[in-house]
Amino acid sequence: MRDWSYGQRMPSYYRTRSYVVSDYGRYGLARPPHGCEYVRSGNDVVLTVIATGVIMAVISGMYN
């Protein structure tokens, strides 16, 4: 597992369907801003810009 932080860029393989959290409401997450999506990394959820993979926010331990 890797620790992510604001401003880093996630690798492109995280922008595939197997990592994208499309049921964000189920976890109490707000709808992502336009052009962004949530992706899962281990037990964390990371809000990224779709086009670039730049991290906007990290929610640690969402899947504990």
Side-chain angles (χ1 to χ4, degrees):
M1 185 166 70
R2 178 163 176 189
D3 290 325
W4 299 105
S5 62
Y6 176 83
Q8 289 181 314
R9 187 180 308 265
M10 295 198 75
S12 60
Y13 59 84
Y14 277 101
R15 292 176 279 197
T16 62
R17 288 183 167 241
S18 57
Y19 291 97
V20 172
V21 179
S22 56
D23 58 346
Y24 50 84
R26 176 180 174 196
Y27 300 100
L29 298 169
R31 182 180 193 151
H34 180 73
C36 295
E37 66 187 357
Y38 293 109
V39 295
R40 182 175 180 170
S41 174
N43 288 330
D44 302 334
V45 172
V46 182
L47 178 64
T48 63
V49 177
I50 295 169
T52 63
V54 172
I55 296 172
M56 304 303 294
V58 178
I59 302 134
S60 298
M62 179 64 72
Y63 288 96
N64 281 337

